[in-house]
Amino acid sequence: MSTAILAGQPVPGSSIEDDLRSLGFEVHTAADSAAAENLLAQVPAGERVAVVDPRFVGHLHALRLGLTDPRFPLAAIPGAVTAQAAGRPALTRALARENAVGGGTTLVDSLADRVAAALDTDVHRPELGSLVAAVPADPQARNEARQAVAAVDDEAVRLKSAVKARDGFFTTYCVSPYSRYLARWCARRGLTPNQVTTASLVTALIAAGCAATGTRAGFVAAGLLLIASFVLDCTDGQLARYSLQYSTLGAWLDATFDRAKEYAYYAGLALGAARGGDDVWALALGAMVLQTCRHVVDFAFNEGNAGDAANTSPTAALSDRLDSVGWTVWVRRMIVLPIGERWALIAVLTAVTTPRITFVVLLIGCAFAATYTTAGRVLRSLTRRARRTDRAARALADLADSGPLALAAARFVRDRVRIPAPPAAAAGGLLVVIPAALWGASWQTALGALGYAGLSAVAVARPLKGALDWLVPPFFRAAEYGTVLLLAAESDVNGTLPAAFGLVAAVAYHHYDTVYRIRGDAGAPPHWLTRAIGGHEGRTLLVALLAVLLTAAQFKVALTVLAVAVALVVLVESIRFWVSAHRGGAPAVHDEGEPA
């Protein structure tokens, strides 16, 4: 249980003690700074502790924002300061210094504010907006503060702040106006964001099952359930913001389940189409490949520019100017097909058309969105003035997912071959994708895969600090996934494309998991994992060789075995890591992810 130390005697008629207890604090009173220091020392080291001025006047939600957010070791608002276990030493030092200066005398001004100012490390100070948090010095000021509190609806502010600051048009106007109330309903019944996230996953899987029936009723039900899953997907984040229930495990579940839901639905549509005699597995796999590559472009660009004080390119300045024209903001958000617009499009097309039409329209829309966003980011990078940091270069190297072949060759070519990383990665990809498209399972493709491994080594031989080096991971993803798609599509054996779908899904999970670890400051997956699953160049070469050496039927079996093996290894290690991080008290994070 958390502990709150009231640094002084409570003011008659004040609700501060009841407010703190409602937030889960055990309340103790300290007559002077020496007593406050003694009480702080008695609180177990692993518990949250807060020092609060008993004269505090403000909204309950202001206290909640200041004292209960799990993401920050130290936080403060006027009249209150709090520390989690990681911030306890800094709070103890600051209180000891204040006690030494004041000699432990009776408190006159705000001890909480003095301690917050004396902290020798970063302190989070939440943006309160219209919420009130004050320590009135006299009765008149106290009365004015109470009037200010009464003038603002605490609950309305809390509901508004539960909605993501930047969302797509569909989410903003078609989901959030009511999903925030669903989030509050969940909070009042003790439901957690992780439970809502799981409910969203289950709903999407049922939607995929309905789509797999191949009937018109099943397609209609699938579309409705997909929208319901998206509403729950919005609700879990809003519940986390409403109740400040952030966690490392929750951020991972939310991001991972989003991908699992969408790609499972693709598989359900493909199964449903097959029941009707239409084979759309190639389209389903193409949609997954395109969507994953889009995400890798986003991740690589953002991580490659992490650490910049600001985007200083003229292209970014133009974007900022366009943002001042209201309607352009919504148009630009909609044309990139964020998850809300994308899922709404998929749901409607599923209900009223066929799986083939759904995938064709989705591929066209995502291809246009990918072209638009990638072109804009290339322009920003070419005119970018800031230098890439070492951390950003390491993140890009981790996102590259280079295996033993590429890393060993990179040490050899580092001082011998000097080709810029993006052209090397792009040329390597073309070297394997073009033969796969022209000749399918052939020795030309296998030799192309070997050349791809060599050029991949050239691309990562030196730190990825060039202006366009963030393109290297997307080029690698497109080459690997595209090769698997082309070789599977060329096979005449039923089941090869579904097996390829499973393999790409397993590998994509590994790539997404790498991103989420980097975002959570947990580093990349362990080197043994990358070696065990071969790296992107090793897997590409292996698939090309299997396609040449095995019969079509054997190739299908090999892809299935490879998919299961990769999935088992990456899933077991990923789940072990995130559960251990959660149990080990890893700092809570809240990743807004892609705009909904």
Side-chain angles (χ1 to χ4, degrees):
M1 187 174 186
S2 303
T3 298
I5 301 171
L6 284 180
Q9 292 301 318
V11 176
S14 172
S15 64
I16 185 63
E17 292 187 69
D18 291 337
D19 289 343
L20 289 170
R21 291 191 180 98
S22 72
L23 296 176
F25 285 91
E26 181 180 344
V27 181
H28 298 275
T29 301
D32 52 38
S33 59
E37 186 177 4
N38 290 333
L39 284 173
L40 177 62
Q42 295 172 19
V43 177
E47 292 185 5
R48 175 190 287 275
V49 65
V51 178
V52 183
D53 194 301
R55 296 166 296 176
F56 176 88
V57 175
H59 289 98
L60 176 61
H61 193 49
L63 279 174
R64 182 181 292 108
L65 289 172
L67 302 183
T68 67
D69 195 324
R71 296 173 295 176
F72 308 103
L74 290 161
I77 58 173
V81 61
T82 185
Q84 296 194 80
R88 285 283 298 276
L91 182 64
T92 300
R93 291 193 301 270
L95 185 55
R97 284 194 296 271
E98 287 301 310
N99 191 30
V101 172
T105 57
T106 302
L107 301 167
V108 178
D109 56 355
S110 177
L111 176 65
D113 289 343
R114 297 204 315 271
V115 169
L119 287 167
D120 53 11
T121 187
D122 291 337
V123 181
H124 171 66
R125 297 182 185 274
E127 177 60 48
L128 298 180
S130 59
L131 296 175
V132 176
V135 180
D138 54 60
Q140 180 179 351
R142 186 172 189 82
N143 184 53
E144 292 173 353
R146 284 175 170 172
Q147 291 176 357
V149 170
V152 176
D153 187 341
D154 177 276
E155 182 61 19
V157 172
R158 189 181 179 190
L159 275 173
K160 183 178 180 180
S161 64
V163 177
K164 192 188 295 185
R166 184 178 182 272
D167 260 336
F169 181 88
F170 178 77
T171 305
T172 300
Y173 292 104
C174 300
V175 177
S176 291
Y178 57 88
S179 62
R180 68 185 75 183
Y181 295 100
L182 178 58
R184 180 173 66 181
W185 183 89
C186 292
R188 290 178 175 176
R189 283 152 184 80
L191 297 177
T192 67
N194 291 352
Q195 290 171 328
V196 178
T197 300
T198 303
S200 175
L201 173 66
V202 171
T203 304
L205 293 178
I206 295 174
C210 290
T213 63
T215 64
R216 178 52 52 192
F219 288 148
V220 172
L224 292 173
L225 287 169
L226 187 64
I227 293 297
S229 174
F230 180 67
V231 171
L232 291 172
D233 182 51
C234 293
T235 301
D236 63 4
Q238 291 168 357
L239 174 58
R241 288 182 286 272
Y242 181 85
S243 57
L244 301 185
Q245 295 184 72
Y246 304 118
S247 70
T248 299
L249 183 64
W252 171 69
L253 287 175
D254 183 47
T256 301
F257 284 2
D258 277 352
R259 305 287 77 80
K261 289 180 288 189
E262 186 164 358
Y263 298 157
Y265 192 84
Y266 292 175
L269 277 178
L271 287 169
R275 286 178 177 272
D278 190 12
D279 187 354
V280 298
W281 275 106
L283 294 175
L285 180 51
M288 181 167 66
V289 168
L290 179 56
Q291 189 57 36
T292 303
C293 289
R294 280 187 65 198
H295 284 140
V296 175
V297 167
D298 294 341
F299 299 149
F301 178 80
N302 292 332
E303 292 302 327
N305 293 302
D308 287 356
N311 194 320
T312 55
S313 73
T315 309
L318 174 61
S319 178
D320 292 339
R321 286 197 295 273
L322 286 174
D323 283 345
S324 65
V325 183
W327 65 270
T328 67
V329 175
W330 293 117
V331 171
R332 290 160 64 214
R333 290 185 188 178
M334 291 173 67
I335 62 176
V336 300
L337 273 186
I339 188 172
E341 275 77 356
R342 193 167 67 248
W343 283 25
L345 175 68
I346 294 170
V348 171
L349 290 175
T350 299
V352 301
T353 66
T354 65
R356 179 172 292 275
I357 293 175
T358 300
F359 281 125
V360 169
V361 174
L362 179 63
L363 284 166
I364 293 172
C366 287
F368 176 80
T371 302
Y372 170 80
T373 55
T374 305
R377 286 169 177 170
V378 168
L379 287 174
R380 289 189 182 207
S381 299
L382 291 173
T383 55
R384 177 176 171 267
R385 299 188 182 97
R387 293 182 60 83
R388 182 156 291 130
T389 63
D390 290 337
R391 180 210 176 272
R394 285 195 300 272
L396 291 179
D398 292 334
L399 290 174
D401 189 34
S402 300
L405 285 177
L407 293 177
R411 288 191 289 270
F412 175 77
V413 303
R414 182 170 295 125
D415 298 321
R416 294 176 173 84
V417 181
R418 290 192 174 274
I419 302 175
L430 293 174
L431 201 59
V432 64
V433 169
I434 290 176
L438 294 178
W439 299 294
S442 64
W443 283 109
Q444 292 96 320
T445 302
L447 290 173
L450 186 61
Y452 168 64
L455 284 172
S456 298
V458 174
V460 298
R462 284 171 292 279
L464 297 174
K465 291 191 173 183
L468 295 177
D469 284 1
W470 58 269
L471 286 169
V472 169
F475 283 151
F476 287 164
R477 299 297 83 79
E480 180 184 1
Y481 300 163
T483 300
V484 174
L485 168 59
L486 291 169
L487 292 177
E490 188 255 352
S491 173
D492 294 329
V493 175
N494 287 335
T496 303
L497 276 167
F501 189 96
L503 175 59
V504 172
V507 175
Y509 175 87
H510 166 62
H511 292 144
Y512 281 117
D513 189 54
T514 301
V515 171
Y516 303 142
R517 295 195 196 205
I518 293 172
R519 283 184 169 181
D521 289 328
H527 293 303
W528 70 261
L529 178 63
T530 304
R531 291 193 295 269
I533 60 176
H536 67 93
E537 80 291 347
R539 290 187 298 270
T540 303
L541 180 58
L542 176 61
V543 170
L545 288 173
L546 290 173
V548 173
L549 298 174
L550 303 178
T551 65
Q554 292 170 335
F555 182 56
K556 179 190 74 172
V557 174
L559 284 181
T560 303
V561 172
L562 186 59
V564 171
V566 172
L568 284 175
V569 173
V570 299
L571 279 171
V572 169
E573 202 287 325
S574 174
I575 293 171
R576 179 209 61 78
F577 170 81
W578 289 105
V579 171
S580 298
H582 179 69
R583 291 177 176 173
V589 296
H590 180 61
D591 184 4
E592 295 285 3
E594 65 170 312

Coordinates of all heavy atoms in Angstrom, one line a residue, residues 405-407 409-410 428 431-432 447-459 536-538 540-541:
L405 N 25.5 -14.9 -40.9 CA 26.1 -14.8 -42.3 C 26.5 -13.3 -42.5 O 27.6 -13.0 -42.9 CB 25.2 -15.3 -43.4 CG 25.0 -16.8 -43.5 CD1 24.0 -17.1 -44.6 CD2 26.4 -17.5 -43.9
A406 N 25.5 -12.4 -42.3 CA 25.7 -11.0 -42.6 C 26.7 -10.4 -41.7 O 27.6 -9.6 -42.1 CB 24.4 -10.3 -42.6
L407 N 26.7 -10.8 -40.4 CA 27.6 -10.2 -39.4 C 29.0 -10.6 -39.7 O 30.0 -9.9 -39.5 CB 27.1 -10.5 -38.0 CG 25.8 -9.9 -37.6 CD1 25.4 -10.3 -36.2 CD2 25.9 -8.4 -37.6
A409 N 30.3 -11.7 -42.6 CA 30.8 -11.0 -43.8 C 31.0 -9.6 -43.6 O 31.9 -9.0 -44.2 CB 29.8 -11.3 -44.9
A410 N 30.2 -8.9 -42.7 CA 30.4 -7.5 -42.5 C 31.8 -7.2 -41.9 O 32.4 -6.1 -42.3 CB 29.3 -7.0 -41.5
G428 N 20.6 -5.7 -53.0 CA 20.6 -7.0 -52.5 C 19.2 -7.6 -52.5 O 19.0 -8.8 -53.0
L431 N 18.2 -8.4 -56.0 CA 19.0 -9.5 -56.5 C 18.3 -10.9 -56.2 O 18.5 -11.8 -57.0 CB 20.4 -9.5 -55.8 CG 21.5 -10.3 -56.5 CD1 21.8 -9.7 -57.9 CD2 22.8 -10.1 -55.7
V432 N 17.5 -10.9 -55.2 CA 16.8 -12.2 -54.9 C 15.4 -12.1 -55.3 O 14.8 -13.1 -55.7 CB 16.9 -12.5 -53.4 CG1 16.3 -11.5 -52.5 CG2 16.4 -13.9 -53.1
L447 N 21.2 -18.4 -56.0 CA 22.4 -17.5 -56.1 C 22.1 -16.1 -55.8 O 22.9 -15.4 -55.2 CB 23.0 -17.6 -57.5 CG 23.6 -19.0 -57.9 CD1 24.0 -19.0 -59.4 CD2 24.8 -19.2 -57.0
G448 N 20.9 -15.6 -56.2 CA 20.5 -14.3 -55.8 C 20.4 -14.1 -54.3 O 20.7 -13.1 -53.8
A449 N 19.9 -15.2 -53.6 CA 19.8 -15.1 -52.2 C 21.2 -15.0 -51.5 O 21.4 -14.3 -50.5 CB 19.0 -16.3 -51.6
L450 N 22.1 -15.7 -52.1 CA 23.5 -15.7 -51.6 C 24.1 -14.3 -51.8 O 24.7 -13.7 -50.9 CB 24.4 -16.7 -52.3 CG 25.8 -16.9 -51.8 CD1 25.8 -17.3 -50.4 CD2 26.5 -17.9 -52.7
G451 N 23.8 -13.7 -53.0 CA 24.2 -12.3 -53.2 C 23.6 -11.3 -52.3 O 24.2 -10.4 -51.8
Y452 N 22.3 -11.6 -52.0 CA 21.6 -10.8 -51.0 C 22.2 -10.8 -49.7 O 22.4 -9.7 -49.0 CB 20.1 -11.3 -50.9 CG 19.3 -10.7 -49.8 CD1 19.0 -9.3 -49.7 CD2 18.8 -11.5 -48.8 CE1 18.3 -8.8 -48.7 CE2 18.1 -11.0 -47.7 CZ 17.8 -9.7 -47.7 OH 17.1 -9.1 -46.7
A453 N 22.7 -12.0 -49.2 CA 23.4 -12.1 -48.0 C 24.7 -11.2 -48.0 O 25.0 -10.5 -47.0 CB 23.7 -13.5 -47.6
G454 N 25.4 -11.3 -49.1 CA 26.6 -10.5 -49.2 C 26.4 -9.0 -49.2 O 27.1 -8.3 -48.5
L455 N 25.4 -8.5 -49.9 CA 25.1 -7.1 -50.0 C 24.5 -6.6 -48.6 O 24.7 -5.5 -48.3 CB 24.2 -6.8 -51.1 CG 24.9 -6.8 -52.5 CD1 23.9 -6.6 -53.6 CD2 26.0 -5.6 -52.6
S456 N 23.8 -7.5 -48.0 CA 23.3 -7.2 -46.6 C 24.4 -6.9 -45.7 O 24.4 -6.0 -44.8 CB 22.4 -8.3 -46.1 OG 21.3 -8.6 -46.9
A457 N 25.5 -7.7 -45.8 CA 26.7 -7.5 -45.0 C 27.3 -6.1 -45.3 O 27.7 -5.4 -44.4 CB 27.7 -8.6 -45.2
V458 N 27.4 -5.7 -46.5 CA 27.9 -4.4 -46.9 C 27.0 -3.3 -46.3 O 27.6 -2.3 -45.8 CB 27.9 -4.3 -48.4 CG1 28.4 -2.9 -48.8 CG2 28.9 -5.3 -49.0
A459 N 25.7 -3.5 -46.3 CA 24.8 -2.5 -45.8 C 25.0 -2.2 -44.3 O 24.8 -1.1 -43.8 CB 23.4 -2.8 -46.1
H536 N 17.7 -12.3 -41.1 CA 16.9 -12.2 -42.3 C 17.6 -12.8 -43.5 O 16.9 -13.5 -44.4 CB 16.6 -10.7 -42.6 CG 17.8 -9.9 -43.0 ND1 18.2 -9.7 -44.3 CD2 18.7 -9.3 -42.2 CE1 19.3 -9.0 -44.3 NE2 19.6 -8.7 -43.1
E537 N 18.9 -12.6 -43.6 CA 19.6 -13.2 -44.8 C 19.7 -14.7 -44.8 O 19.6 -15.4 -45.8 CB 21.0 -12.5 -44.9 CG 22.1 -13.1 -44.1 CD 21.9 -12.8 -42.6 OE1 21.1 -11.9 -42.2 OE2 22.6 -13.4 -41.8
G538 N 19.8 -15.2 -43.6 CA 19.9 -16.7 -43.4 C 18.6 -17.4 -43.7 O 18.6 -18.4 -44.4
T540 N 16.2 -16.1 -45.7 CA 15.9 -16.0 -47.1 C 16.7 -17.0 -47.9 O 16.2 -17.6 -48.8 CB 16.3 -14.5 -47.6 OG1 15.6 -13.6 -46.8 CG2 16.0 -14.3 -49.0
L541 N 18.0 -17.2 -47.6 CA 18.8 -18.1 -48.3 C 18.3 -19.6 -48.1 O 18.2 -20.4 -49.0 CB 20.3 -18.0 -47.8 CG 21.3 -19.0 -48.5 CD1 21.3 -18.8 -50.0 CD2 22.7 -18.8 -47.9

